[in-house]
PDB file of all heavy atoms in Angstrom:
ATOM      1  N   ILE A 151      78.343 -93.092  85.944  1.00  0.00           N
ATOM      2  CA  ILE A 151      78.395 -94.534  85.715  1.00  0.00           C
ATOM      3  C   ILE A 151      77.419 -95.243  86.643  1.00  0.00           C
ATOM      4  O   ILE A 151      76.682 -96.154  86.222  1.00  0.00           O
ATOM      5  CB  ILE A 151      79.832 -95.046  85.907  1.00  0.00           C
ATOM      6  CG1 ILE A 151      80.739 -94.518  84.782  1.00  0.00           C
ATOM      7  CG2 ILE A 151      79.857 -96.573  85.946  1.00  0.00           C
ATOM      8  CD1 ILE A 151      82.209 -94.853  84.963  1.00  0.00           C
ATOM      9  N   LEU A 152      77.377 -94.852  87.913  1.00  0.00           N
ATOM     10  CA  LEU A 152      76.455 -95.482  88.866  1.00  0.00           C
ATOM     11  C   LEU A 152      75.001 -95.216  88.482  1.00  0.00           C
ATOM     12  O   LEU A 152      74.131 -96.090  88.654  1.00  0.00           O
ATOM     13  CB  LEU A 152      76.729 -94.958  90.279  1.00  0.00           C
ATOM     14  CG  LEU A 152      78.058 -95.394  90.907  1.00  0.00           C
ATOM     15  CD1 LEU A 152      78.244 -94.719  92.260  1.00  0.00           C
ATOM     16  CD2 LEU A 152      78.118 -96.913  91.057  1.00  0.00           C
ATOM     17  N   CYS A 153      74.733 -94.037  87.962  1.00  0.00           N
ATOM     18  CA  CYS A 153      73.375 -93.724  87.525  1.00  0.00           C
ATOM     19  C   CYS A 153      73.005 -94.545  86.287  1.00  0.00           C
ATOM     20  O   CYS A 153      71.882 -95.051  86.169  1.00  0.00           O
ATOM     21  CB  CYS A 153      73.256 -92.238  87.236  1.00  0.00           C
ATOM     22  SG  CYS A 153      71.561 -91.642  87.020  1.00  0.00           S
ATOM     23  N   ALA A 154      73.961 -94.697  85.372  1.00  0.00           N
ATOM     24  CA  ALA A 154      73.707 -95.502  84.175  1.00  0.00           C
ATOM     25  C   ALA A 154      73.537 -96.977  84.516  1.00  0.00           C
ATOM     26  O   ALA A 154      72.839 -97.703  83.811  1.00  0.00           O
ATOM     27  CB  ALA A 154      74.858 -95.314  83.188  1.00  0.00           C
ATOM     28  N   MET A 155      74.175 -97.417  85.635  1.00  0.00           N
ATOM     29  CA  MET A 155      74.030 -98.796  86.104  1.00  0.00           C
ATOM     30  C   MET A 155      72.749 -98.986  86.902  1.00  0.00           C
ATOM     31  O   MET A 155      72.462-100.088  87.370  1.00  0.00           O
ATOM     32  CB  MET A 155      75.235 -99.173  86.978  1.00  0.00           C
ATOM     33  CG  MET A 155      76.536 -99.320  86.218  1.00  0.00           C
ATOM     34  SD  MET A 155      77.957 -99.406  87.353  1.00  0.00           S
ATOM     35  CE  MET A 155      77.449-100.715  88.491  1.00  0.00           C
ATOM     36  N   ASP A 156      71.984 -97.933  87.103  1.00  0.00           N
ATOM     37  CA  ASP A 156      70.734 -97.939  87.862  1.00  0.00           C
ATOM     38  C   ASP A 156      70.949 -98.079  89.358  1.00  0.00           C
ATOM     39  O   ASP A 156      70.012 -98.403  90.094  1.00  0.00           O
ATOM     40  CB  ASP A 156      69.798 -99.051  87.366  1.00  0.00           C
ATOM     41  CG  ASP A 156      68.329 -98.688  87.567  1.00  0.00           C
ATOM     42  OD1 ASP A 156      68.026 -97.471  87.571  1.00  0.00           O
ATOM     43  OD2 ASP A 156      67.511 -99.602  87.755  1.00  0.00           O
ATOM     44  N   VAL A 157      72.172 -97.816  89.838  1.00  0.00           N
ATOM     45  CA  VAL A 157      72.404 -97.750  91.288  1.00  0.00           C
ATOM     46  C   VAL A 157      71.767 -96.484  91.837  1.00  0.00           C
ATOM     47  O   VAL A 157      71.188 -96.469  92.938  1.00  0.00           O
ATOM     48  CB  VAL A 157      73.915 -97.780  91.595  1.00  0.00           C
ATOM     49  CG1 VAL A 157      74.165 -97.575  93.093  1.00  0.00           C
ATOM     50  CG2 VAL A 157      74.523 -99.095  91.125  1.00  0.00           C
ATOM     51  N   LEU A 158      71.848 -95.403  91.093  1.00  0.00           N
ATOM     52  CA  LEU A 158      71.205 -94.133  91.421  1.00  0.00           C
ATOM     53  C   LEU A 158      70.119 -93.845  90.386  1.00  0.00           C
ATOM     54  O   LEU A 158      70.266 -94.193  89.209  1.00  0.00           O
ATOM     55  CB  LEU A 158      72.223 -92.989  91.420  1.00  0.00           C
ATOM     56  CG  LEU A 158      73.303 -92.997  92.489  1.00  0.00           C
ATOM     57  CD1 LEU A 158      74.375 -91.956  92.164  1.00  0.00           C
ATOM     58  CD2 LEU A 158      72.697 -92.723  93.864  1.00  0.00           C
ATOM     59  N   LYS A 159      69.046 -93.210  90.823  1.00  0.00           N
ATOM     60  CA  LYS A 159      67.971 -92.830  89.924  1.00  0.00           C
ATOM     61  C   LYS A 159      68.246 -91.434  89.348  1.00  0.00           C
ATOM     62  O   LYS A 159      68.876 -90.594  90.011  1.00  0.00           O
ATOM     63  CB  LYS A 159      66.632 -92.829  90.655  1.00  0.00           C
ATOM     64  CG  LYS A 159      66.280 -94.163  91.290  1.00  0.00           C
ATOM     65  CD  LYS A 159      66.151 -95.259  90.235  1.00  0.00           C
ATOM     66  CE  LYS A 159      65.764 -96.582  90.880  1.00  0.00           C
ATOM     67  NZ  LYS A 159      65.730 -97.688  89.865  1.00  0.00           N
ATOM     68  N   PRO A 160      67.778 -91.163  88.144  1.00  0.00           N
ATOM     69  CA  PRO A 160      68.023 -89.843  87.539  1.00  0.00           C
ATOM     70  C   PRO A 160      67.532 -88.693  88.409  1.00  0.00           C
ATOM     71  O   PRO A 160      68.189 -87.652  88.504  1.00  0.00           O
ATOM     72  CB  PRO A 160      67.256 -89.919  86.214  1.00  0.00           C
ATOM     73  CG  PRO A 160      67.229 -91.370  85.881  1.00  0.00           C
ATOM     74  CD  PRO A 160      67.127 -92.090  87.199  1.00  0.00           C
ATOM     75  N   GLU A 161      66.380 -88.874  89.064  1.00  0.00           N
ATOM     76  CA  GLU A 161      65.855 -87.788  89.894  1.00  0.00           C
ATOM     77  C   GLU A 161      66.709 -87.524  91.124  1.00  0.00           C
ATOM     78  O   GLU A 161      66.627 -86.450  91.734  1.00  0.00           O
ATOM     79  CB  GLU A 161      64.412 -88.091  90.312  1.00  0.00           C
ATOM     80  CG  GLU A 161      64.230 -89.374  91.096  1.00  0.00           C
ATOM     81  CD  GLU A 161      63.952 -90.576  90.202  1.00  0.00           C
ATOM     82  OE1 GLU A 161      64.225 -90.481  88.977  1.00  0.00           O
ATOM     83  OE2 GLU A 161      63.459 -91.583  90.713  1.00  0.00           O
ATOM     84  N   GLN A 162      67.538 -88.518  91.528  1.00  0.00           N
ATOM     85  CA  GLN A 162      68.392 -88.340  92.704  1.00  0.00           C
ATOM     86  C   GLN A 162      69.622 -87.475  92.407  1.00  0.00           C
ATOM     87  O   GLN A 162      70.225 -86.913  93.325  1.00  0.00           O
ATOM     88  CB  GLN A 162      68.820 -89.706  93.252  1.00  0.00           C
ATOM     89  CG  GLN A 162      67.663 -90.495  93.847  1.00  0.00           C
ATOM     90  CD  GLN A 162      68.042 -91.913  94.187  1.00  0.00           C
ATOM     91  OE1 GLN A 162      68.890 -92.526  93.511  1.00  0.00           O
ATOM     92  NE2 GLN A 162      67.433 -92.470  95.226  1.00  0.00           N
ATOM     93  N   VAL A 163      70.019 -87.393  91.153  1.00  0.00           N
ATOM     94  CA  VAL A 163      71.186 -86.578  90.789  1.00  0.00           C
ATOM     95  C   VAL A 163      70.793 -85.330  90.016  1.00  0.00           C
ATOM     96  O   VAL A 163      71.621 -84.439  89.819  1.00  0.00           O
ATOM     97  CB  VAL A 163      72.183 -87.414  89.950  1.00  0.00           C
ATOM     98  CG1 VAL A 163      72.721 -88.585  90.742  1.00  0.00           C
ATOM     99  CG2 VAL A 163      71.543 -87.903  88.650  1.00  0.00           C
ATOM    100  N   ASP A 164      69.539 -85.262  89.593  1.00  0.00           N
ATOM    101  CA  ASP A 164      69.111 -84.134  88.781  1.00  0.00           C
ATOM    102  C   ASP A 164      69.216 -82.831  89.571  1.00  0.00           C
ATOM    103  O   ASP A 164      68.747 -82.731  90.715  1.00  0.00           O
ATOM    104  CB  ASP A 164      67.663 -84.341  88.323  1.00  0.00           C
ATOM    105  CG  ASP A 164      67.220 -83.259  87.357  1.00  0.00           C
ATOM    106  OD1 ASP A 164      67.999 -82.924  86.456  1.00  0.00           O
ATOM    107  OD2 ASP A 164      66.096 -82.750  87.533  1.00  0.00           O
ATOM    108  N   GLY A 165      69.823 -81.818  88.970  1.00  0.00           N
ATOM    109  CA  GLY A 165      69.932 -80.503  89.585  1.00  0.00           C
ATOM    110  C   GLY A 165      71.170 -80.296  90.433  1.00  0.00           C
ATOM    111  O   GLY A 165      71.480 -79.158  90.798  1.00  0.00           O
ATOM    112  N   TRP A 166      71.860 -81.366  90.782  1.00  0.00           N
ATOM    113  CA  TRP A 166      73.092 -81.240  91.569  1.00  0.00           C
ATOM    114  C   TRP A 166      74.280 -81.008  90.632  1.00  0.00           C
ATOM    115  O   TRP A 166      74.431 -81.683  89.617  1.00  0.00           O
ATOM    116  CB  TRP A 166      73.350 -82.510  92.384  1.00  0.00           C
ATOM    117  CG  TRP A 166      72.438 -82.687  93.567  1.00  0.00           C
ATOM    118  CD1 TRP A 166      71.325 -83.461  93.627  1.00  0.00           C
ATOM    119  CD2 TRP A 166      72.577 -82.073  94.845  1.00  0.00           C
ATOM    120  NE1 TRP A 166      70.743 -83.381  94.866  1.00  0.00           N
ATOM    121  CE2 TRP A 166      71.498 -82.530  95.639  1.00  0.00           C
ATOM    122  CE3 TRP A 166      73.487 -81.186  95.407  1.00  0.00           C
ATOM    123  CZ2 TRP A 166      71.305 -82.131  96.952  1.00  0.00           C
ATOM    124  CZ3 TRP A 166      73.307 -80.785  96.714  1.00  0.00           C
ATOM    125  CH2 TRP A 166      72.235 -81.249  97.478  1.00  0.00           C
ATOM    126  N   TYR A 167      75.124 -80.061  90.985  1.00  0.00           N
ATOM    127  CA  TYR A 167      76.380 -79.845  90.265  1.00  0.00           C
ATOM    128  C   TYR A 167      77.491 -80.546  91.047  1.00  0.00           C
ATOM    129  O   TYR A 167      77.564 -80.423  92.278  1.00  0.00           O
ATOM    130  CB  TYR A 167      76.695 -78.359  90.158  1.00  0.00           C
ATOM    131  CG  TYR A 167      75.909 -77.631  89.095  1.00  0.00           C
ATOM    132  CD1 TYR A 167      74.528 -77.486  89.190  1.00  0.00           C
ATOM    133  CD2 TYR A 167      76.553 -77.076  87.985  1.00  0.00           C
ATOM    134  CE1 TYR A 167      73.804 -76.814  88.218  1.00  0.00           C
ATOM    135  CE2 TYR A 167      75.838 -76.397  87.009  1.00  0.00           C
ATOM    136  CZ  TYR A 167      74.459 -76.274  87.129  1.00  0.00           C
ATOM    137  OH  TYR A 167      73.746 -75.604  86.161  1.00  0.00           O
ATOM    138  N   MET A 168      78.345 -81.266  90.337  1.00  0.00           N
ATOM    139  CA  MET A 168      79.372 -82.087  90.988  1.00  0.00           C
ATOM    140  C   MET A 168      80.781 -81.639  90.576  1.00  0.00           C
ATOM    141  O   MET A 168      81.007 -81.222  89.438  1.00  0.00           O
ATOM    142  CB  MET A 168      79.215 -83.567  90.600  1.00  0.00           C
ATOM    143  CG  MET A 168      77.796 -84.063  90.533  1.00  0.00           C
ATOM    144  SD  MET A 168      77.136 -84.417  92.153  1.00  0.00           S
ATOM    145  CE  MET A 168      75.560 -85.189  91.700  1.00  0.00           C
ATOM    146  N   ALA A 169      81.724 -81.786  91.492  1.00  0.00           N
ATOM    147  CA  ALA A 169      83.143 -81.572  91.182  1.00  0.00           C
ATOM    148  C   ALA A 169      83.966 -82.247  92.261  1.00  0.00           C
ATOM    149  O   ALA A 169      83.628 -82.180  93.449  1.00  0.00           O
ATOM    150  CB  ALA A 169      83.477 -80.083  91.114  1.00  0.00           C
ATOM    151  N   GLY A 170      85.046 -82.890  91.850  1.00  0.00           N
ATOM    152  CA  GLY A 170      85.924 -83.521  92.836  1.00  0.00           C
ATOM    153  C   GLY A 170      86.857 -84.535  92.198  1.00  0.00           C
ATOM    154  O   GLY A 170      86.489 -85.212  91.234  1.00  0.00           O
ATOM    155  N   GLU A 171      88.048 -84.604  92.725  1.00  0.00           N
ATOM    156  CA  GLU A 171      89.018 -85.602  92.283  1.00  0.00           C
ATOM    157  C   GLU A 171      88.935 -86.821  93.208  1.00  0.00           C
ATOM    158  O   GLU A 171      88.785 -86.677  94.427  1.00  0.00           O
ATOM    159  CB  GLU A 171      90.430 -85.034  92.315  1.00  0.00           C
ATOM    160  CG  GLU A 171      91.510 -86.041  91.925  1.00  0.00           C
ATOM    161  CD  GLU A 171      92.910 -85.466  92.030  1.00  0.00           C
ATOM    162  OE1 GLU A 171      93.047 -84.236  91.940  1.00  0.00           O
ATOM    163  OE2 GLU A 171      93.862 -86.265  92.216  1.00  0.00           O
ATOM    164  N   LEU A 172      89.025 -88.002  92.621  1.00  0.00           N
ATOM    165  CA  LEU A 172      88.949 -89.236  93.393  1.00  0.00           C
ATOM    166  C   LEU A 172      90.327 -89.870  93.523  1.00  0.00           C
ATOM    167  O   LEU A 172      91.084 -89.950  92.546  1.00  0.00           O
ATOM    168  CB  LEU A 172      88.006 -90.232  92.717  1.00  0.00           C
ATOM    169  CG  LEU A 172      86.505 -89.920  92.793  1.00  0.00           C
ATOM    170  CD1 LEU A 172      85.728 -90.867  91.892  1.00  0.00           C
ATOM    171  CD2 LEU A 172      86.008 -90.018  94.227  1.00  0.00           C
ATOM    172  N   SER A 173      90.657 -90.312  94.725  1.00  0.00           N
ATOM    173  CA  SER A 173      91.833 -91.157  94.897  1.00  0.00           C
ATOM    174  C   SER A 173      91.438 -92.582  94.543  1.00  0.00           C
ATOM    175  O   SER A 173      90.255 -92.889  94.322  1.00  0.00           O
ATOM    176  CB  SER A 173      92.333 -91.090  96.342  1.00  0.00           C
ATOM    177  OG  SER A 173      91.430 -91.753  97.205  1.00  0.00           O
ATOM    178  N   LEU A 174      92.391 -93.487  94.493  1.00  0.00           N
ATOM    179  CA  LEU A 174      92.082 -94.874  94.152  1.00  0.00           C
ATOM    180  C   LEU A 174      91.218 -95.536  95.207  1.00  0.00           C
ATOM    181  O   LEU A 174      90.541 -96.535  94.940  1.00  0.00           O
ATOM    182  CB  LEU A 174      93.379 -95.659  93.955  1.00  0.00           C
ATOM    183  CG  LEU A 174      94.305 -95.159  92.836  1.00  0.00           C
ATOM    184  CD1 LEU A 174      95.497 -96.091  92.660  1.00  0.00           C
ATOM    185  CD2 LEU A 174      93.548 -95.011  91.516  1.00  0.00           C
ATOM    186  N   THR A 175      91.221 -95.000  96.425  1.00  0.00           N
ATOM    187  CA  THR A 175      90.391 -95.561  97.496  1.00  0.00           C
ATOM    188  C   THR A 175      88.995 -94.962  97.522  1.00  0.00           C
ATOM    189  O   THR A 175      88.153 -95.388  98.319  1.00  0.00           O
ATOM    190  CB  THR A 175      91.062 -95.319  98.857  1.00  0.00           C
ATOM    191  OG1 THR A 175      91.154 -93.899  99.088  1.00  0.00           O
ATOM    192  CG2 THR A 175      92.445 -95.930  98.906  1.00  0.00           C
ATOM    193  N   GLY A 176      88.742 -93.955  96.690  1.00  0.00           N
ATOM    194  CA  GLY A 176      87.442 -93.307  96.674  1.00  0.00           C
ATOM    195  C   GLY A 176      87.384 -92.031  97.490  1.00  0.00           C
ATOM    196  O   GLY A 176      86.334 -91.362  97.545  1.00  0.00           O
ATOM    197  N   GLU A 177      88.490 -91.657  98.130  1.00  0.00           N
ATOM    198  CA  GLU A 177      88.519 -90.417  98.904  1.00  0.00           C
ATOM    199  C   GLU A 177      88.435 -89.230  97.955  1.00  0.00           C
ATOM    200  O   GLU A 177      89.018 -89.233  96.872  1.00  0.00           O
ATOM    201  CB  GLU A 177      89.805 -90.353  99.720  1.00  0.00           C
ATOM    202  CG  GLU A 177      89.966 -89.070 100.521  1.00  0.00           C
ATOM    203  CD  GLU A 177      91.330 -88.958 101.169  1.00  0.00           C
ATOM    204  OE1 GLU A 177      92.144 -89.890 101.011  1.00  0.00           O
ATOM    205  OE2 GLU A 177      91.591 -87.919 101.809  1.00  0.00           O
ATOM    206  N   LEU A 178      87.702 -88.205  98.391  1.00  0.00           N
ATOM    207  CA  LEU A 178      87.560 -87.002  97.579  1.00  0.00           C
ATOM    208  C   LEU A 178      88.660 -86.008  97.910  1.00  0.00           C
ATOM    209  O   LEU A 178      88.842 -85.638  99.075  1.00  0.00           O
ATOM    210  CB  LEU A 178      86.192 -86.356  97.819  1.00  0.00           C
ATOM    211  CG  LEU A 178      85.007 -86.993  97.073  1.00  0.00           C
ATOM    212  CD1 LEU A 178      83.697 -86.425  97.568  1.00  0.00           C
ATOM    213  CD2 LEU A 178      85.141 -86.793  95.579  1.00  0.00           C
ATOM    214  N   LYS A 179      89.373 -85.574  96.884  1.00  0.00           N
ATOM    215  CA  LYS A 179      90.462 -84.614  97.052  1.00  0.00           C
ATOM    216  C   LYS A 179      90.039 -83.255  96.509  1.00  0.00           C
ATOM    217  O   LYS A 179      89.275 -83.182  95.541  1.00  0.00           O
ATOM    218  CB  LYS A 179      91.719 -85.105  96.322  1.00  0.00           C
ATOM    219  CG  LYS A 179      92.275 -86.400  96.889  1.00  0.00           C
ATOM    220  CD  LYS A 179      93.576 -86.781  96.212  1.00  0.00           C
ATOM    221  CE  LYS A 179      94.203 -88.006  96.863  1.00  0.00           C
ATOM    222  NZ  LYS A 179      95.493 -88.379  96.232  1.00  0.00           N
ATOM    223  N   PRO A 180      90.549 -82.174  97.116  1.00  0.00           N
ATOM    224  CA  PRO A 180      90.123 -80.831  96.696  1.00  0.00           C
ATOM    225  C   PRO A 180      90.537 -80.503  95.272  1.00  0.00           C
ATOM    226  O   PRO A 180      91.546 -81.000  94.759  1.00  0.00           O
ATOM    227  CB  PRO A 180      90.812 -79.912  97.708  1.00  0.00           C
ATOM    228  CG  PRO A 180      91.954 -80.712  98.253  1.00  0.00           C
ATOM    229  CD  PRO A 180      91.506 -82.134  98.237  1.00  0.00           C
ATOM    230  N   VAL A 181      89.751 -79.641  94.651  1.00  0.00           N
ATOM    231  CA  VAL A 181      89.995 -79.215  93.277  1.00  0.00           C
ATOM    232  C   VAL A 181      89.886 -77.689  93.211  1.00  0.00           C
ATOM    233  O   VAL A 181      89.250 -77.062  94.063  1.00  0.00           O
ATOM    234  CB  VAL A 181      88.988 -79.851  92.303  1.00  0.00           C
ATOM    235  CG1 VAL A 181      89.191 -81.347  92.199  1.00  0.00           C
ATOM    236  CG2 VAL A 181      87.550 -79.536  92.730  1.00  0.00           C
ATOM    237  N   PRO A 182      90.510 -77.064  92.214  1.00  0.00           N
ATOM    238  CA  PRO A 182      90.384 -75.604  92.065  1.00  0.00           C
ATOM    239  C   PRO A 182      89.065 -75.218  91.426  1.00  0.00           C
ATOM    240  O   PRO A 182      88.409 -76.030  90.771  1.00  0.00           O
ATOM    241  CB  PRO A 182      91.574 -75.249  91.162  1.00  0.00           C
ATOM    242  CG  PRO A 182      91.817 -76.496  90.360  1.00  0.00           C
ATOM    243  CD  PRO A 182      91.479 -77.639  91.267  1.00  0.00           C
ATOM    244  N   GLY A 183      88.677 -73.952  91.631  1.00  0.00           N
ATOM    245  CA  GLY A 183      87.527 -73.402  90.923  1.00  0.00           C
ATOM    246  C   GLY A 183      86.167 -73.680  91.541  1.00  0.00           C
ATOM    247  O   GLY A 183      85.147 -73.531  90.866  1.00  0.00           O
ATOM    248  N   VAL A 184      86.118 -74.052  92.836  1.00  0.00           N
ATOM    249  CA  VAL A 184      84.825 -74.366  93.453  1.00  0.00           C
ATOM    250  C   VAL A 184      83.962 -73.114  93.627  1.00  0.00           C
ATOM    251  O   VAL A 184      82.740 -73.168  93.465  1.00  0.00           O
ATOM    252  CB  VAL A 184      85.032 -75.091  94.798  1.00  0.00           C
ATOM    253  CG1 VAL A 184      83.737 -75.158  95.598  1.00  0.00           C
ATOM    254  CG2 VAL A 184      85.564 -76.498  94.552  1.00  0.00           C
ATOM    255  N   LEU A 185      84.577 -71.978  93.951  1.00  0.00           N
ATOM    256  CA  LEU A 185      83.787 -70.749  94.116  1.00  0.00           C
ATOM    257  C   LEU A 185      83.071 -70.352  92.832  1.00  0.00           C
ATOM    258  O   LEU A 185      81.847 -70.128  92.853  1.00  0.00           O
ATOM    259  CB  LEU A 185      84.684 -69.615  94.622  1.00  0.00           C
ATOM    260  CG  LEU A 185      83.997 -68.257  94.808  1.00  0.00           C
ATOM    261  CD1 LEU A 185      82.847 -68.354  95.789  1.00  0.00           C
ATOM    262  CD2 LEU A 185      84.998 -67.203  95.253  1.00  0.00           C
ATOM    263  N   PRO A 186      83.749 -70.259  91.683  1.00  0.00           N
ATOM    264  CA  PRO A 186      82.993 -69.960  90.456  1.00  0.00           C
ATOM    265  C   PRO A 186      81.993 -71.047  90.094  1.00  0.00           C
ATOM    266  O   PRO A 186      80.948 -70.757  89.499  1.00  0.00           O
ATOM    267  CB  PRO A 186      84.086 -69.808  89.388  1.00  0.00           C
ATOM    268  CG  PRO A 186      85.331 -70.361  89.976  1.00  0.00           C
ATOM    269  CD  PRO A 186      85.209 -70.228  91.453  1.00  0.00           C
ATOM    270  N   LEU A 187      82.280 -72.328  90.465  1.00  0.00           N
ATOM    271  CA  LEU A 187      81.314 -73.400  90.228  1.00  0.00           C
ATOM    272  C   LEU A 187      80.032 -73.143  91.002  1.00  0.00           C
ATOM    273  O   LEU A 187      78.914 -73.278  90.468  1.00  0.00           O
ATOM    274  CB  LEU A 187      81.917 -74.747  90.639  1.00  0.00           C
ATOM    275  CG  LEU A 187      80.931 -75.914  90.786  1.00  0.00           C
ATOM    276  CD1 LEU A 187      80.293 -76.240  89.448  1.00  0.00           C
ATOM    277  CD2 LEU A 187      81.615 -77.144  91.370  1.00  0.00           C
ATOM    278  N   ALA A 188      80.163 -72.754  92.287  1.00  0.00           N
ATOM    279  CA  ALA A 188      78.987 -72.473  93.102  1.00  0.00           C
ATOM    280  C   ALA A 188      78.190 -71.306  92.537  1.00  0.00           C
ATOM    281  O   ALA A 188      76.947 -71.320  92.522  1.00  0.00           O
ATOM    282  CB  ALA A 188      79.410 -72.188  94.542  1.00  0.00           C
ATOM    283  N   MET A 189      78.883 -70.288  92.051  1.00  0.00           N
ATOM    284  CA  MET A 189      78.192 -69.131  91.478  1.00  0.00           C
ATOM    285  C   MET A 189      77.478 -69.514  90.185  1.00  0.00           C
ATOM    286  O   MET A 189      76.362 -69.051  89.917  1.00  0.00           O
ATOM    287  CB  MET A 189      79.197 -68.006  91.237  1.00  0.00           C
ATOM    288  CG  MET A 189      79.860 -67.508  92.515  1.00  0.00           C
ATOM    289  SD  MET A 189      81.153 -66.261  92.261  1.00  0.00           S
ATOM    290  CE  MET A 189      80.155 -64.820  91.920  1.00  0.00           C
ATOM    291  N   ALA A 190      78.098 -70.390  89.377  1.00  0.00           N
ATOM    292  CA  ALA A 190      77.457 -70.844  88.139  1.00  0.00           C
ATOM    293  C   ALA A 190      76.248 -71.718  88.452  1.00  0.00           C
ATOM    294  O   ALA A 190      75.208 -71.626  87.771  1.00  0.00           O
ATOM    295  CB  ALA A 190      78.462 -71.624  87.287  1.00  0.00           C
ATOM    296  N   ALA A 191      76.348 -72.553  89.486  1.00  0.00           N
ATOM    297  CA  ALA A 191      75.223 -73.410  89.861  1.00  0.00           C
ATOM    298  C   ALA A 191      74.045 -72.577  90.348  1.00  0.00           C
ATOM    299  O   ALA A 191      72.887 -72.860  90.028  1.00  0.00           O
ATOM    300  CB  ALA A 191      75.660 -74.396  90.941  1.00  0.00           C
ATOM    301  N   ARG A 192      74.334 -71.541  91.126  1.00  0.00           N
ATOM    302  CA  ARG A 192      73.253 -70.683  91.617  1.00  0.00           C
ATOM    303  C   ARG A 192      72.573 -69.947  90.467  1.00  0.00           C
ATOM    304  O   ARG A 192      71.337 -69.903  90.378  1.00  0.00           O
ATOM    305  CB  ARG A 192      73.801 -69.685  92.629  1.00  0.00           C
ATOM    306  CG  ARG A 192      72.727 -68.784  93.233  1.00  0.00           C
ATOM    307  CD  ARG A 192      73.313 -67.807  94.222  1.00  0.00           C
ATOM    308  NE  ARG A 192      74.247 -66.867  93.589  1.00  0.00           N
ATOM    309  CZ  ARG A 192      74.889 -65.908  94.248  1.00  0.00           C
ATOM    310  NH1 ARG A 192      74.720 -65.774  95.554  1.00  0.00           N
ATOM    311  NH2 ARG A 192      75.716 -65.096  93.602  1.00  0.00           N
TER     312      ARG A 192
END
């Protein structure tokens, strides 16, 4: 959404894999499956 709003540029997020749960305050909470995510990103 921030990228579509032009707060972030496409080249700034290109190539990054993202995962995370957000609380209502914006805090990032842990999620399952990060190890296979890292292996898939590599």
Side-chain angles (χ1 to χ4, degrees):
I151 291 174
L152 291 176
C153 192
M155 290 168 52
D156 209 28
V157 175
L158 293 169
K159 302 298 181 184
E161 59 270 17
Q162 292 171 328
V163 297
D164 186 44
W166 287 99
Y167 282 65
M168 320 281 188
E171 177 183 335
L172 288 171
S173 71
L174 299 185
T175 63
E177 178 188 359
L178 280 170
K179 296 185 175 181
V181 293
V184 168
L185 179 59
L187 165 64
M189 298 176 76
R192 182 180 64 180

